[in-house]
């Protein structure tokens, strides 16, 4: 709420990490943590919907390293001459309107790919730690 109140004077801008954006993002994150705490700890709703978060959470370093490697690979590999692999992979999503929906679906697909690679490690109880 404080981030939204401050927005008219100091606009929320993610790229600049304005203090109004930080307040807004922190508030949204705190509300999400409170909701998840209520669902999991208070109501004890422990079901299959938690599985992706467990898989990512137990091997978070591997999932992060994989996402960075995959993202940089998409921008490094060329297909059809001068076109980057990223452009080729993103094209089907870019055609979805409104544009924000296509971008969201691309991000969800990217995360799902990272999850599919991380899942076998979780099944075999292989965890990367620093």
């Amino acid at each position: 709420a404080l981030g939204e109140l401050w927005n008219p004077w100091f606009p929320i801008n993610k790229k600049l990490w304005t203090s109004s954006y930080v307040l807004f993002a922190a508030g949204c994150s705190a509300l999400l943590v409170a909701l998840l705490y209520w669902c999991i700890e208070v109501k004890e709703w422990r079901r299959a919907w938690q599985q992706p978060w467990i898989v990512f959470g137990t091997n978070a370093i591997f999932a992060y390293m994989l996402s960075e490697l995959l993202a940089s690979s998409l921008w490094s590999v060329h297909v059809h001459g001068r076109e980057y692999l990223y452009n080729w992979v993103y094209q089907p999503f870019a055609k979805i309107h409104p544009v924000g929906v296509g971008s969201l679906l691309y991000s969800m697909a990217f995360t799902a790919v990272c999850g599919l690679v991380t899942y076998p490690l979780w099944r075999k109880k292989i965890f990367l730690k620093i």
Side-chain angles (χ1 to χ4, degrees):
L2 287 175
E4 275 295 335
L5 285 173
W6 200 359
N7 185 31
W9 297 279
F10 200 59
I12 294 174
N13 188 328
K14 180 183 179 198
K15 288 188 178 189
L16 295 177
W17 274 78
T18 58
S19 49
S20 56
Y21 166 75
V22 171
L23 280 172
F24 181 77
C28 289
S29 299
L31 286 173
L32 181 60
V33 166
L35 175 68
L36 290 173
Y37 177 82
W38 182 77
C39 289
I40 296 167
E41 299 297 333
V42 176
K43 290 294 188 179
E44 295 182 358
W45 292 341
R46 296 187 172 100
R47 300 280 189 266
W49 66 271
Q50 294 175 315
Q51 197 63 32
W53 311 118
I54 292 169
V55 170
F56 276 113
T58 54
N59 239 336
I61 293 171
F62 175 78
Y64 172 74
M65 289 172 45
L66 176 65
S67 72
E68 289 294 315
L69 179 64
L70 183 57
S72 64
S73 297
L74 289 174
W75 283 103
S76 299
V77 175
H78 293 277
V79 292
H80 304 301
R82 304 183 78 179
E83 184 180 14
Y84 289 110
L85 182 59
Y86 171 82
N87 296 332
W88 186 75
V89 170
Y90 185 71
Q91 284 305 318
F93 297 99
K95 294 176 183 173
I96 298 172
H97 292 288
V99 177
V101 173
S103 182
L104 174 65
L105 291 175
Y106 170 78
S107 298
M108 291 171 69
F110 186 91
T111 304
V113 167
C114 292
L116 289 173
V117 175
T118 306
Y119 183 75
L121 294 177
W122 176 79
R123 293 272 302 173
K124 294 180 181 179
K125 300 192 182 324
I126 299 171
F127 307 114
L128 295 181
K129 298 179 182 180
I130 293 181

